[in-house]
Amino acid sequence: MARERGEKVVATNRKARHDYLIEDTYEAGIVLSGTEVKSLRQGRASLVDGYAFIDGGEIWLDAVHIPEYTEGTWNNHAPRRKRKLLMHKQEIVKISHKTKEGGYTLVPLSLYFKDGRAKVELAVAKGKREYDKRQALRERQDKREADRAMASRRNLGE
């Protein structure tokens, strides 16, 4: 059987980019049970309420919803359990120092398969204030309107 190649995104946390200011991103492996992997391969997961934390020199991912595998039996997994993340010790120490500064948190941005292995993209992020969110929306809307105006101008010139 040929090995999987490339990247297949299972779930993304689009709300995280709206709610947080992303400082750094890291890639981490995930320790999963068999039925969790099968459920992920079906493309079923939700990162909406997910967060990561450091406990005893290890990184854990919590509140990420991976639904039960439909073909599973009595040994199916719990949908919202703590899952251990696999990272180098130096990265964990660096992230730990960053999160202890205050105001920073660890947020999962995406869950994907890379060359057949389940990975999660973690971000060290700082929460945005409400006015920052409104300003980002306004900037996006202004850019969209400017692009439309230039496109209509271009179409008239032809």
Side-chain angles (χ1 to χ4, degrees), residues 124-142:
V124 176
K126 192 170 202 156
K128 282 186 184 177
R129 297 259 197 279
E130 196 63 38
Y131 57 83
D132 291 335
K133 294 178 193 177
R134 283 195 298 266
Q135 185 176 351
L137 287 172
R138 195 174 306 117
E139 287 172 2
R140 200 171 334 146
Q141 186 177 6
D142 291 345

Side-chain angles (χ1 to χ4, degrees), residues 26-152:
Y26 297 92
E27 181 180 73
I30 316 170
V31 177
L32 298 171
S33 68
T35 54
E36 286 175 319
V37 175
K38 290 181 177 191
S39 187
L40 284 178
R41 289 208 188 278
Q42 289 180 340
R44 302 171 65 213
S46 173
L47 298 173
V48 173
D49 297 328
Y51 65 95
F53 62 94
I54 298 173
D55 184 31
E58 296 178 333
I59 271 193
W60 295 87
L61 186 65
D62 200 9
V64 171
H65 187 263
I66 300 176
E68 290 185 348
Y69 181 56
T70 54
E71 310 297 319
T73 58
W74 55 272
N75 60 350
N76 230 333
H77 64 277
R80 286 190 189 268
R81 69 175 185 90
K82 281 189 348 185
R83 295 170 178 91
K84 187 176 178 180
L85 298 180
L86 306 171
M87 292 181 83
H88 291 285
K89 193 61 113 177
Q90 300 92 331
E91 288 180 316
I92 294 173
V93 169
K94 188 190 291 186
I95 291 171
S96 176
H97 290 309
K98 196 77 161 181
T99 55
K100 284 181 183 173
E101 282 179 14
Y104 288 99
T105 186
L106 284 172
V107 181
L109 295 179
S110 64
L111 190 60
Y112 55 93
F113 283 100
K114 184 175 181 181
D115 295 336
R117 298 182 191 274
K119 305 279 185 182
V120 66
E121 184 182 19
L122 278 181
V124 176
K126 192 170 202 156
K128 282 186 184 177
R129 297 259 197 279
E130 196 63 38
Y131 57 83
D132 291 335
K133 294 178 193 177
R134 283 195 298 266
Q135 185 176 351
L137 287 172
R138 195 174 306 117
E139 287 172 2
R140 200 171 334 146
Q141 186 177 6
D142 291 345
K143 184 182 181 320
R144 196 176 302 130
E145 287 175 7
D147 289 345
R148 278 193 198 124
M150 286 192 293
S152 67

